Amino acid sequence: MKRGVIDRFEGDLAVIEVDGDTIDVAKALLPKKARVGDAIIIEADGTFRIDKEATKKLRKEIDALMDELFE
């Protein structure tokens, strides 16, 4: 199992950051509700699922940084 974060979508591809590198994955392989910024778990069998707790934590961290930046 690996973990990554969806960085962006480019056409039919999702660019996912995994351990400092990026991989391109067909959007069709991701859960339908996947969006930019979601934490993704890449299972050993090649399937993908959203890590809801990690995504929530990442969003809170980003919000805190944005608040600090625009104070």
Side-chain angles (χ1 to χ4, degrees):
M1 171 177 71
K2 289 185 179 184
R3 294 180 179 272
V5 176
I6 299 174
D7 182 62
R8 65 187 178 277
F9 293 113
E10 294 181 352
D12 291 336
L13 295 176
V15 179
I16 301 175
E17 185 177 331
V18 179
D19 297 327
D21 293 319
T22 58
I23 59 171
D24 295 339
V25 175
K27 269 201 297 194
L29 297 176
L30 297 176
K32 291 194 183 291
K33 294 186 177 186
R35 60 187 187 144
V36 172
D38 282 349
I40 296 289
I41 296 173
I42 306 166
E43 300 288 358
D45 65 359
T47 59
F48 299 85
R49 64 184 170 93
I50 299 170
D51 184 337
K52 293 179 182 184
E53 287 301 313
T55 296
K56 188 184 301 183
K57 182 179 175 186
L58 281 171
R59 292 199 197 292
K60 283 183 181 180
E61 290 173 5
I62 290 169
D63 287 345
L65 287 170
M66 294 297 284
D67 288 344
E68 187 177 311
L69 182 63
F70 292 109
E71 284 184 341

